[in-house]
Amino acid sequence: MIGIAIDGPSGAGKSTIAKALAKDLGYIYVDTGAIYRTVGLYMQRKGVSTEDKEGIENNLPDVKVELKYEDGEQKMYLCDEEVSGLIRTPLIAKYASVVSAVPKVREFLFDMQRSLARENNVIMDGRDIGTVILPDADVKIFLTASAEARAQRRVDQLVEKGETVSYDDILASIKERDARDSGRDVAPLKAADDAVTLDTSALNLEESIAAAKKIVVDTLSKKKSESKVKTKDKNKSGFYMWARKYLAPIIKFCMRVKTYGSENEQESGALIVCANHTAMLDVLSLAVSFKRQLRYLAKKELFKIPLLSQLITALGAYAVDRGTGDVAAIKKTLSILEDEEIVAMFPQGTRHKGVDPALTEVKHGVGMMVYRSKADVQPVFVRVKNYKYRFLRKKEVIIGKPIRYEEFGFTNGGKEEYERAAKLVFDRILALRYEGLDK
Ligand code: DC
């Protein structure tokens, strides 16, 4: 799950900006201020004074706060009553600010906020999101603006509603709230060390949204490229290197795999290795035949078996949860290709088990993967003399010349083009079947 934390003083535009971003990214927007306001409303209704910290603590166990989404809008419920509108008054803002300074109140609301972020991609705004609630948030923005700019915005809003207001009074109340929110002992308003500060004093709304979006996009893409480097390093380290060096030759020997055409192996870039499918262990025959690490789909269950799990991971397997359907598998495969790795696929889908491969049906899936990934294809023929007891028999892995993506001549994709591409791949695979044999 991705968590985006936006903290900052009241009136800096957090909620408007967070809402716009959430809509844009398809995340849920969590306004945590509303949660404190709801607790504040409860205390106000109970007649607890804003000075009475003990009274607030004593009443807390009876407060039932719920946050629900109706038509994508966050609604607040207090003891089963919808109070989303009632909490938007200056009096309740004051109560919210007071109750939020009580440590027991913050503890009381902690789990609620955390679990929302655990279960959803969220943009959460508040005062302590990046520091306390989501210290590991993927993006942290500290959104601020001068007290004067915020006061002016508030005046403009109220004037538009036809209210007569005093700029000085509003400025004073903003300063008072800032002081209380920043000066309190528990979770004071401050930017997390790793937050990006965005000062919107001189920006209008559109500019502020664009600036916040840029921070989100830049931070997420930076993280993504860092983690790519990490996974690449991981793939190339430790057990994998060891397995490549020592295990692969042993497996190759035991499985009696002989490789031909290694000089054809494409040495860099995204590549889909396509072979005919003779046996379940074809992927291993391929994995030990290639110089680069080969990746392939394996059932999720296999990863639960100790040792086997490490072995297949070392030899490039990645898990797929059959229950989640093909979409997850396609996505994962595309992201591996995007990382310029090699993925092995079998255009026939199922094993041909001794049936003449030329007579088997070819699925169009490979064509679609080529189209979507823009990867080149390396055709390979796995030749087994006798399909009976094939595990023990000699296997010849014949690597053919790569087919460049451009050769497929895709225009707009679609089933017909995928079928044509899959057929081209399979023809090239079949063309290798007698390679090196004295006919
Ligand atoms: O963002 P808002 O004005 O709706 O917040 C109401 C009060 O709640 C505000 O005075 C600060 C407090 N608050 C907090 O302490 N921690 C949060 N995460 C959100 C709000």
Side-chain angles (χ1 to χ4, degrees), residues 7-11 14 31-34 36-37 88 92-94 96-98 100-101 106 113 125-129 133 177 180-181 184 187:
D7 291 302
S10 357
K14 291 190 303 290
D31 168 8
T32 60
Y36 288 95
R37 284 171 182 260
R88 301 285 158 198
I92 299 308
K94 171 145 194 224
S97 175
V98 168
S100 68
R106 305 200 76 86
Q113 298 173 75
D125 82 12
R127 306 294 188 284
D128 63 339
I129 309 304
I133 305 292
R177 201 133 75 100
R180 198 167 34 230
D181 292 346
R184 67 189 179 204

Side-chain angles (χ1 to χ4, degrees), residues 21-206:
L21 285 181
K23 196 164 168 214
D24 211 34
L25 298 165
Y27 293 5
I28 67 163
Y29 163 58
V30 184
D31 168 8
T32 60
I35 308 176
Y36 288 95
R37 284 171 182 260
T38 305
V39 176
L41 176 66
Y42 183 90
M43 299 303 164
Q44 184 264 336
R45 281 180 169 179
K46 279 273 160 178
V48 181
S49 144
T50 50
E51 312 290 316
D52 183 5
K53 184 178 160 204
E54 219 171 283
I56 295 172
E57 289 181 354
N58 292 342
N59 275 284
L60 204 52
D62 302 326
V63 183
K64 184 179 164 203
V65 184
E66 282 171 294
L67 190 153
K68 296 184 186 171
Y69 286 88
E70 290 164 18
D71 296 330
E73 282 271 316
Q74 173 180 325
K75 299 280 179 204
M76 294 311 305
Y77 283 78
L78 173 60
C79 303
D80 301 321
E81 177 195 348
E82 212 246 296
V83 295
S84 316
L86 297 174
I87 56 175
R88 301 285 158 198
T89 67
L91 178 61
I92 299 308
K94 171 145 194 224
Y95 261 95
S97 175
V98 168
V99 300
S100 68
V102 178
K104 284 229 167 94
V105 173
R106 305 200 76 86
E107 267 165 44
F108 180 75
L109 300 175
F110 182 84
D111 284 344
M112 177 180 186
Q113 298 173 75
R114 263 279 170 91
S115 58
L116 279 165
R118 208 175 298 125
E119 287 147 24
N120 307 280
N121 289 328
V122 290
I123 298 196
M124 214 176 243
D125 82 12
R127 306 294 188 284
D128 63 339
I129 309 304
T131 48
V132 180
I133 305 292
L134 306 178
D136 296 326
D138 300 272
V139 185
K140 295 181 187 178
I141 299 178
F142 191 75
L143 196 73
T144 185
S146 66
E148 289 72 17
R150 286 181 283 138
Q152 191 56 54
R153 284 178 199 163
R154 186 84 188 121
V155 169
D156 294 345
Q157 275 171 358
L158 294 172
V159 166
E160 203 169 292
K161 279 190 194 163
E163 293 176 32
T164 1
V165 285
S166 138
Y167 169 83
D168 289 338
D169 289 352
I170 290 195
L171 181 61
S173 81
I174 283 182
K175 284 189 170 166
E176 183 194 317
R177 201 133 75 100
D178 280 357
R180 198 167 34 230
D181 292 346
S182 319
R184 67 189 179 204
D185 296 335
V186 51
L189 169 64
K190 72 172 172 61
D193 292 339
D194 49 350
V196 180
T197 299
L198 174 59
D199 187 329
T200 64
S201 306
L203 306 179
N204 67 24
L205 187 59
E206 284 74 42

